[in-house]
Amino acid sequence: MLTAVVPVWLNRADHVRAHAACHASAMLWNRTVAWVRGEWRAGRSPGREDIRRYVTSLPAEARPVHAHTAQAVAYDLADAIALARANKAQGMAAVKFPWREKRYRRLVFTTGFGWKITSRGRLALSLGRGRERVVLPVPELTNRNGVLVTPDRWGEIKLCWDGAARGWSLRIAHRVPDDRLSDASGHEGAEAAGIRAVTVAVDEGIVNPMTLAIRAPDGAYEVAVINGRAARAVKQRRNKGAARLQSKLSRCQSGSRRFRKLSEARKKLTARTGRRLRDFNHQVTAKANRFIREQVEAHEQAVPTGARVVVRLVVGDVRGVERNTEKKRRTSRSTRQQLSQWERGTQERLLAYKTGLAIRHISEAYSSQTCPYCLTRRKVRGRSYACVNKTCASVLNRDAVGGVNIHTLAVNDGTYVPVPPETVIRVKYLRAQPGWSADQRERHGFHQRARHRAGAGRSREARSSAQNRATRADLPVGVCVAVVPRSGGAMGHEGGAATPQGAGRAVARTAEGHM
């Protein structure tokens, strides 16, 4: 089951009904949490079905939502309690059981009961017996390959309200063919039984969110470094914009017209940044997923016929480094801000979601300071690692060194073992570029056609890019100048071939829309 996020629009009547139902769902949650805590104080430990029976036994006026929506509240609370107990069993500190009161909670609609397709081809969301339904046009849902997913393959639907974006969205779970990779759990030491275990090591960072290292069938290391500077720029813009708006808000009277306008601007900034970061995280994990599947396919082609390839996903353990940065003060203020806004956990969950693999954590102490060939350690500044051992003198990307060392630790039970000198480490650099939605591509095509109709004149559409403004600012109407790159200028490398800097960007932008 995968989940798709589909923005929807509700008319005023449906908007009011949905808001009232979300408040009622939150009140039901609060009442159930209070009952569970009362049972704990009395020495009883209610289970999953006990919580469900309590919710369904309440009078109808205490749960003015659909019966299955009320059951979802009980099951979500039981799952939250089970997760807190599991975290406590693992020794995680500061774990709390559900206690906070909610004022708002999303609505859950089950298949065949909470939602259905009407005879007129509309999507109806039930709010309970005796209450009007929320009726919407059936959203068009496509899978990762662009194939339409019909409603008969839909599962549970959640109606969610985004307070920052001030809009509704549907979270639609839908069935897809099982393309999960085979996890290596339970197959340790089974190489002789026709099973090849492939280990994928991931080194996480702020500049480069993910660096993946895997041993290729020929014995070399394949390393993919995914660049994440775009997310840093988005976060920096949000931080500066929020600080500027907060400074203006502090000089306004609460509730005034200017206060409301500035608050709305801050919400728009938060919503826009959230959309960009969500797209960025999907770009990073999509590239990581594609790289892993390519390497696994290469191993499947190299193994004998009938053999099976299983995958073990190991991530360097940096959990908790982003917590309490204000109290620890071990780094500069800007670094502490970057650590506290690091979306490492979100990217891990997305990678596990797309690959179907369980993530294992391993200590990554000194992984970026240790030479993989001779195990010499040195402090590193910058993105390049140069070994100080004169007999080795290897030069590699700093994150690639960390990825290879995490792979070594994973396959050698947490012990550093030098890589043979003849081992080749091939590094591939990837960039998480934002993708275009269908609406964005359509709007882009509209403006491109408008520019084509405008010709080479000085109209707004003809001068919509910085390059056009620079080359046509002082030219009369109808004159066009061809921009040719200077010979001997800055050169970039794409795929091992030298190309002029900036060449191929138009092709890359076109390809982004199809990723």
Side-chain angles (χ1 to χ4, degrees), residues 459-478:
S459 63
R460 177 178 178 273
E461 293 292 346
R463 295 183 290 109
S464 59
S465 69
Q467 182 175 349
N468 289 338
R469 289 195 297 270
T471 56
R472 295 171 179 161
D474 300 325
L475 295 178
V477 177

Side-chain angles (χ1 to χ4, degrees), residues 77 98 168 212 239 244 264 323 331 396 431 460 465:
L77 177 57
W168 295 93
L212 299 97
N239 296 338
R244 183 172 61 253
E264 187 68 22
R323 300 173 187 167
T331 56
L396 285 170
R431 178 173 295 176
R460 177 178 178 273
S465 69

Side-chain angles (χ1 to χ4, degrees), residues 320-391:
V321 70
E322 70 278 5
R323 300 173 187 167
N324 300 324
T325 56
E326 181 67 23
K327 295 180 180 179
K328 296 177 182 178
R329 293 182 177 272
R330 294 182 299 182
T331 56
S332 63
R333 180 180 178 183
S334 61
T335 304
R336 294 200 306 270
Q337 186 183 55
Q338 293 177 13
L339 287 174
S340 62
Q341 296 176 354
W342 191 7
E343 297 191 331
R344 169 198 56 79
T346 301
Q347 294 168 359
E348 284 186 9
R349 289 191 296 270
L350 287 175
L351 184 60
Y353 171 78
K354 294 178 180 180
T355 59
L357 301 173
I359 291 182
R360 301 168 176 83
H361 291 88
I362 190 172
S363 175
E364 63 161 20
Y366 306 105
S367 60
S368 296
Q369 303 178 16
T370 305
C371 176
Y373 291 104
C374 63
L375 304 184
T376 302
R377 290 182 182 175
R378 60 156 298 189
K379 287 282 187 178
V380 184
R381 292 185 179 274
R383 309 314 307 172
S384 180
Y385 180 93
C387 183
V388 295
N389 187 356
K390 295 183 179 180
T391 60

Side-chain angles (χ1 to χ4, degrees), residues 32-55 74 77-79 81-82 85 97:
T32 309
V33 169
W35 176 80
V36 170
R37 288 191 165 269
E39 291 291 299
W40 288 345
R41 287 191 294 269
R44 294 183 290 270
S45 180
R48 182 183 180 90
E49 290 303 319
D50 296 328
I51 300 175
R52 194 265 306 169
R53 281 191 289 269
Y54 166 77
V55 171
L77 177 57
D79 293 340
I81 294 173
R85 286 174 176 167
F97 289 93

Side-chain angles (χ1 to χ4, degrees), residues 125-285:
L125 307 177
S126 177
L127 299 179
R129 180 176 298 178
R131 303 180 187 89
E132 291 191 32
R133 302 175 298 181
V134 176
V135 182
L136 304 167
V138 178
E140 292 187 358
L141 179 61
T142 57
N143 59 14
R144 295 173 180 173
N145 300 322
V147 180
L148 186 66
V149 180
T150 55
D152 60 317
R153 295 166 54 188
W154 295 1
E156 185 181 79
I157 295 180
K158 297 178 181 178
L159 181 62
C160 306
W161 169 257
D162 189 344
R166 310 297 294 175
W168 295 93
S169 63
L170 294 177
R171 266 67 169 176
I172 304 177
H174 58 282
R175 294 190 303 271
V176 295
D178 190 2
D179 61 345
R180 294 175 296 177
L181 297 173
S182 299
D183 198 285
S185 300
H187 298 285
E188 287 78 2
E191 197 77 29
I195 296 178
R196 173 180 292 187
V198 177
T199 301
V200 180
V202 182
D203 182 24
E204 297 176 319
I206 297 178
V207 177
N208 297 323
M210 285 190 175
T211 300
L212 299 97
I214 186 172
R215 204 73 181 263
D218 60 356
Y221 273 100
E222 295 288 349
V223 180
V225 180
I226 304 177
N227 187 277
R229 295 183 183 273
R232 298 177 66 192
V234 171
K235 293 177 183 178
Q236 185 182 39
R237 182 177 181 179
R238 177 194 59 190
N239 296 338
K240 290 186 175 181
R244 183 172 61 253
L245 291 173
Q246 185 60 39
S247 176
K248 294 180 179 180
L249 280 168
S250 63
R251 299 191 295 269
C252 295
Q253 183 178 359
S254 179
S256 64
R257 181 181 300 177
R258 179 171 174 77
F259 183 88
R260 293 195 302 269
K261 287 185 177 180
L262 292 174
S263 299
E264 187 68 22
R266 185 171 59 180
K267 289 181 179 179
K268 288 183 179 180
L269 175 64
T270 302
R272 182 170 61 249
T273 304
R275 290 192 298 268
R276 291 179 178 177
L277 292 178
R278 178 176 177 271
D279 180 74
F280 170 81
N281 292 332
H282 275 289
Q283 290 289 329
V284 169
T285 52

Side-chain angles (χ1 to χ4, degrees), residues 481-493:
V481 176
V483 180
V484 181
R486 295 177 299 175
S487 60
M491 306 292 286
H493 293 273

